[in-house]
Amino acid sequence: MKVEELLKPFPIKEFHPFPRALMGPGAHEIIGPEALKLGFKRTLIMTSGLRGTDVVHKIAESMKYHGLDVVVYDKVESNPKDYNVMDAVALYQENECDSFVSIGGGSSHDACKGARISVAHDGRSVNEFEGFNQSENPRNPPHIAVSTTAGTGSETSWAYVITDTTTDPDNPHKYVAFDDTSVTTLAIDDPVLYYDCPIDYTAQCGFDVLAHASEPYVSRLNFQPSLGNALYAIKLTSEHLRQAVWNGQDLAGREGMMYAQYIAAQAFNSGGLGIIHSISHAVSAFYDTHHGLNNAIALPRVWAFNMPTQYQRFADIAEAMGVDTHGMTAPQAADAALAAAIRLLRDVGIPEKFTDVTQDSYSKNRLGQGPTKFYENASVIKGDDTDVDRITNHVLGDACTPGNAKECTFETVRPVVEHCMNGDLDDLLS
């Protein structure tokens, strides 16, 4: 069944379950006992390496102390690629592992989810499972997901995102796979692990949270059980992101964002997303830029695009962001929500359009770094007509697009993409 068919008006909507979770300072220190309870014996750790920290080493040594064998795959990239997944699958099979632990942000968790699906299907390409519940084997290896960023919420959702670099190497395709069998066995969120997050990375991940919360709140799915979580996650982000960015050792700020990202993911898990994410996926596919950064740049433009369909919902968002909307009409309050989002973006120092993003503009930059020839040649974001057209076409084929509040066509979406590339945010406020 196509995603468009799933989203047609229908009286039955689906609630997707969450995994068990351990949350709070020090939670990561009990991974070993929890893994033993789950029957782990030889575990593949999947991570980006978290170089510059000792997080992976400490967790691996703790697991070994509890009698577990550990194999480490530390080459997961930002915007995880299909070859990251398949290399990990080969290592898992070669070492006869029986379980997974992912350590990091959404990239590590997503790659691990994809690897589990592949392992359960005898090592078939992860790209075969794009779409909705494409896996055929409901049983795959157990998985503990340990988050070191407050961003994607992948540790609690049924989605994982992979970049397909092999089907058409000249046109990489970043896709979302939604699969109930990909849900982790145990999520561990420990704000202490966020302390080493760079300033700009913390900010970008925070806007991933704001996108995850705001999109289901205005989604055409209008999934009632998601609305409360969505609005509260917006409130938490507005209250805690600045402190988490500029005073990263502040436990209250880090813990506030931990809960914000977790709750926001639970909102979109059944409530859907929209073209903030579709634009982000497209730009990542062609330029390998950070998902949270992409969401931050797209978010104000997509809010402005969607507002005429959901003025009251955006007015609610304004209140959640701390705006005094007394005496305002719903459209006025919606405009105030947009202004608050732009103020937050500027307060945490995020680039305002894609053509402002350069190789030295943020710490997790991958512009022009490869490892494929395509990405080596994508060292500058062009933002010209050809670029805008290919990104718009990618957006229209994205699994998140049908849930967007406003109907999307090439003609309506292209100006949004063009403004993301080249436009001035102040234009949205006039």
Side-chain angles (χ1 to χ4, degrees):
M1 182 177 291
K2 294 181 179 179
V3 64
E4 291 86 353
E5 295 171 347
L6 290 170
L7 292 173
K8 286 181 178 177
F10 194 70
I12 298 175
K13 299 178 183 181
E14 185 171 3
F15 180 85
H16 298 278
F18 314 127
R20 175 171 168 255
L22 297 172
M23 310 181 74
H28 77 281
E29 296 176 355
I30 54 177
I31 294 171
E34 290 294 330
L36 290 174
K37 286 198 300 185
L38 291 169
F40 288 25
K41 292 183 174 62
R42 177 169 293 170
T43 298
L44 181 68
I45 291 178
M46 290 185 64
T47 177
S48 63
L50 299 174
R51 291 163 183 82
T53 79
D54 62 353
V55 171
V56 175
H57 174 75
K58 285 174 63 177
I59 290 176
E61 291 303 308
S62 174
M63 293 177 69
K64 291 176 185 177
Y65 174 81
H66 287 91
L68 295 157
D69 291 331
V70 173
V71 180
V72 177
Y73 176 80
D74 63 358
K75 297 180 175 60
V76 176
E77 299 171 20
S78 179
N79 307 307
K81 315 300 185 294
D82 46 10
Y83 54 79
N84 296 150
V85 176
M86 300 317 297
D87 288 349
V89 168
L91 190 62
Y92 182 97
Q93 293 172 329
E94 175 187 331
N95 287 275
E96 298 182 344
C97 296
D98 60 18
S99 49
F100 286 93
V101 169
S102 57
I103 306 172
S107 296
S108 296
H109 301 332
D110 284 3
C112 191
K113 289 177 174 181
R116 288 168 49 221
I117 296 291
S118 175
V119 164
H121 296 83
D122 301 319
R124 284 164 52 189
S125 170
V126 67
N127 296 330
E128 296 182 30
F129 303 99
E130 176 182 355
F132 287 81
N133 284 321
Q134 294 299 302
S135 63
E136 299 158 10
N137 182 1
R139 298 179 61 85
N140 59 54
H143 173 194
I144 298 176
V146 186
S147 292
T148 61
T149 67
T152 70
S154 180
E155 78 280 5
T156 194
S157 79
W158 73 308
Y160 62 98
V161 187
I162 305 294
T163 301
D164 177 353
T165 66
T166 57
T167 302
D168 184 355
D170 293 328
N171 291 286
H173 169 58
K174 188 172 184 180
Y175 63 84
V176 188
F178 295 91
D179 204 307
D180 289 314
T181 67
S182 76
V183 175
T184 66
T185 313
L186 174 65
I188 293 183
D189 287 301
D190 185 338
V192 174
L193 297 183
Y194 306 165
Y195 283 175
D196 292 321
C197 248
I199 289 172
D200 53 359
Y201 195 45
T202 299
Q204 293 161 19
C205 290
F207 263 82
D208 195 12
V209 177
L210 190 59
H212 287 160
S214 61
E215 292 206 285
Y217 194 68
V218 301
S219 168
R220 66 175 59 192
L221 288 176
N222 194 30
F223 190 64
Q224 301 296 310
S226 292
L227 301 183
N229 276 355
L231 204 59
Y232 189 56
I234 292 168
K235 175 179 168 62
L236 288 174
T237 303
S238 184
E239 290 175 348
H240 294 288
L241 181 57
R242 293 174 178 87
Q243 187 73 356
V245 169
W246 297 117
N247 185 6
Q249 302 293 309
D250 179 71
L251 179 59
R254 291 296 195 181
E255 193 164 21
M257 287 308 302
M258 176 194 75
Y259 283 116
Q261 68 95 32
Y262 185 79
I263 294 168
Q266 293 188 338
F268 84 72
N269 199 47
S270 300
L273 292 168
I275 64 168
I276 296 174
H277 274 76
S278 304
I279 292 171
S280 179
H281 295 157
V283 176
S284 292
F286 296 126
Y287 291 109
D288 214 10
T289 45
H290 183 254
H291 175 68
L293 169 64
N294 297 345
N295 277 347
I297 292 173
L299 183 143
R301 282 86 177 184
V302 176
W303 279 19
F305 175 69
N306 282 330
M307 274 197 300
T309 72
Q310 291 281 9
Y311 279 127
Q312 186 55 56
R313 290 284 171 90
F314 280 102
D316 297 341
I317 288 173
E319 288 193 35
M321 296 187 75
V323 177
D324 182 0
T325 61
H326 181 74
M328 292 184 184
T329 65
Q332 288 170 337
D335 287 341
L338 177 60
I342 292 173
R343 177 63 180 267
L344 180 60
L345 181 146
R346 288 172 170 169
D347 282 352
V348 297
I350 292 176
E352 298 191 12
K353 58 181 183 291
F354 283 118
T355 50
D356 286 342
V357 178
T358 62
Q359 288 184 315
D360 60 355
S361 62
Y362 68 103
S363 60
K364 296 291 184 177
N365 168 70
R366 292 186 56 83
L367 275 174
Q369 293 189 11
T372 68
K373 287 295 182 183
F374 181 92
Y375 291 115
E376 287 178 10
N377 295 329
S379 59
V380 177
I381 297 179
K382 299 175 183 176
D384 58 17
D385 286 345
T386 300
D387 206 19
V388 172
D389 285 349
R390 68 172 179 167
I391 289 170
T392 302
N393 283 319
H394 194 295
V395 167
L396 295 175
D398 192 274
C400 296
T401 297
N404 193 69
K406 187 175 181 179
E407 186 70 25
C408 296
T409 66
F410 186 88
E411 290 73 23
T412 60
V413 171
R414 190 186 188 281
V416 180
V417 173
E418 201 282 330
H419 201 282
C420 290
M421 287 288 166
N422 303 297
D424 188 331
L425 282 179
D426 287 330
D427 295 341
L428 303 177
L429 300 174
S430 58

